[in-house]
Amino acid sequence: MKTRCIAAIFLGLLTITLHADESGGSKVDPDQSVWITSIAPAGDGSFVAGVVTDLHTRPAAVSRFHQDSPNQLEEIFQMPAAVWTIAVSSDGKTIAGGDYKGNLVVYDVASENASSHENAFEGWCQKIVMSPDDGVIVAGNESGKLFTWNLDDAKVSKTVELCEASITSLAFSPGENQLAATDGDGKVHLLKWPELESIGTISVSDVTAWCVAYKDESTLVIGSEDRNLYHCQAKPDAKPDSIAKGGDWITRIAVSEDGQIAASEVSGKIHFAIGGIITNIGDES
């Protein structure tokens, strides 16, 4: 869980400078700044990251790195456009990426085969997640449409017109029977899993709700454009309360097994909340 927490509290968009891997893994100009748009643990002590070096519409890479050498990236596969979100199966055998144009690429680690599915999600996809059984990818796009992609059948198995605003984040409950989705109108949508039937909504703010995580089966934590970190019950019409306020948008959240909450904001600060005590680390980047 420590590894997953570290990965999840990285900024939504982080700028770094890369140096070429002596083994030939990275071909990036050593003086070129690149965007790391998504990071996920790969299950073997390494991480995978979305690497964008140019315009959103140009091809981008999904690469692997180790925490003791984060500036040395080994490219795994290419995305047709800027990769925005990555999901990895619990056994680390499948890596999936969603991009700015709604394309999906699924990479099989054992065979080193990448299968590309053009316009699978019909538009910019900010978040994909693996289902608890690793059999389905769940994705939300910029038009508020929710998709499930069956990995065995390699096709969309279900869609839901969830809202009119962009879907910004997705999270499964610890009990694996509920899915939460945040949107650009400041709402959290609760759905039954795997039915994807609506349970109801929670109004968080009148601006974008950027991220959501389950603290436990009955409690949600939400990061907002209004700079607040909220928590509330995971039920329709719950009233969110602010437990911390940052200096910028709060865009990533992780929760450890012992209930510690880590939330990152665009300015570069990371906030920790446990037992009602709020601390923060980091300076503006």
Side-chain angles (χ1 to χ4, degrees):
M1 175 57 73
K2 181 179 178 182
T3 298
R4 291 188 178 274
C5 186
I6 291 171
I9 61 180
F10 274 93
L11 293 180
L13 291 173
L14 178 67
T15 306
I16 64 173
T17 300
L18 301 177
H19 298 282
D21 187 340
E22 292 180 357
S23 67
S26 177
K27 304 298 184 182
V28 178
D29 184 331
D31 296 320
Q32 182 179 33
S33 291
V34 301
W35 293 103
I36 300 297
T37 55
S38 183
I39 296 176
D44 61 354
S46 68
F47 296 85
V48 290
V51 183
V52 180
T53 58
D54 213 314
L55 300 176
H56 292 341
T57 54
R58 294 190 179 177
V62 173
S63 299
R64 186 189 302 272
F65 70 92
H66 292 270
Q67 63 184 32
D68 57 350
S69 54
N71 62 336
Q72 308 237 335
L73 299 186
E74 175 193 2
E75 183 176 309
I76 304 173
F77 61 90
Q78 283 265 325
M79 296 289 301
V83 56
W84 215 260
T85 175
I86 298 170
V88 182
S89 61
S90 59
D91 60 9
K93 294 180 179 180
T94 304
I95 302 169
D99 72 16
Y100 187 70
K101 291 185 175 180
N103 302 304
L104 170 68
V105 175
V106 180
Y107 179 79
D108 180 77
V109 175
S111 67
E112 299 184 349
N113 178 64
S115 56
S116 185
H117 308 279
E118 186 177 359
N119 200 34
F121 303 133
E122 301 175 8
W124 181 21
C125 183
Q126 294 187 50
K127 187 67 176 178
I128 63 173
V129 292
M130 288 280 184
S131 64
D133 65 359
D134 288 334
V136 172
I137 294 170
V138 184
N141 75 6
E142 62 183 328
S143 300
K145 192 172 184 178
L146 195 65
F147 301 79
T148 60
W149 179 275
N150 186 290
L151 286 167
D152 287 337
D153 297 336
K155 65 179 182 181
V156 171
S157 54
K158 187 179 293 187
T159 63
V160 176
E161 299 285 351
L162 192 63
C163 54
E164 295 184 358
S166 178
I167 296 172
T168 54
S169 184
L170 299 164
F172 282 103
S173 66
E176 302 178 357
N177 61 354
Q178 191 177 98
L179 177 71
T182 51
D183 74 16
D185 284 337
K187 291 184 173 58
V188 179
H189 302 262
L190 302 175
L191 302 103
K192 292 181 182 178
W193 179 259
E195 299 88 349
L196 288 184
E197 296 173 0
S198 177
I199 299 171
T201 61
I202 301 168
S203 293
V204 180
S205 177
D206 59 359
V207 293
T208 301
W210 282 116
C211 50
V212 63
Y214 283 83
K215 182 176 182 294
D216 51 47
E217 190 65 29
S218 61
T219 309
L220 291 172
V221 186
I222 306 114
S224 174
E225 182 182 337
D226 68 10
R227 301 178 294 161
N228 283 290
L229 179 65
Y230 294 95
H231 73 165
C232 67
Q233 290 183 291
K235 66 179 186 179
D237 302 317
K239 178 177 172 49
D241 294 315
S242 176
I243 57 175
K245 187 159 188 175
D248 212 324
W249 300 354
I250 295 177
T251 56
R252 291 289 186 273
I253 298 173
V255 180
S256 68
E257 291 177 345
D258 63 359
Q260 179 170 339
I261 301 164
S264 67
E265 61 174 61
V266 174
S267 72
K269 290 184 178 179
I270 299 171
H271 303 270
F272 295 91
I274 187 168
I277 300 172
I278 308 296
T279 61
N280 68 74
I281 63 172
D283 296 316
E284 292 193 352
S285 61

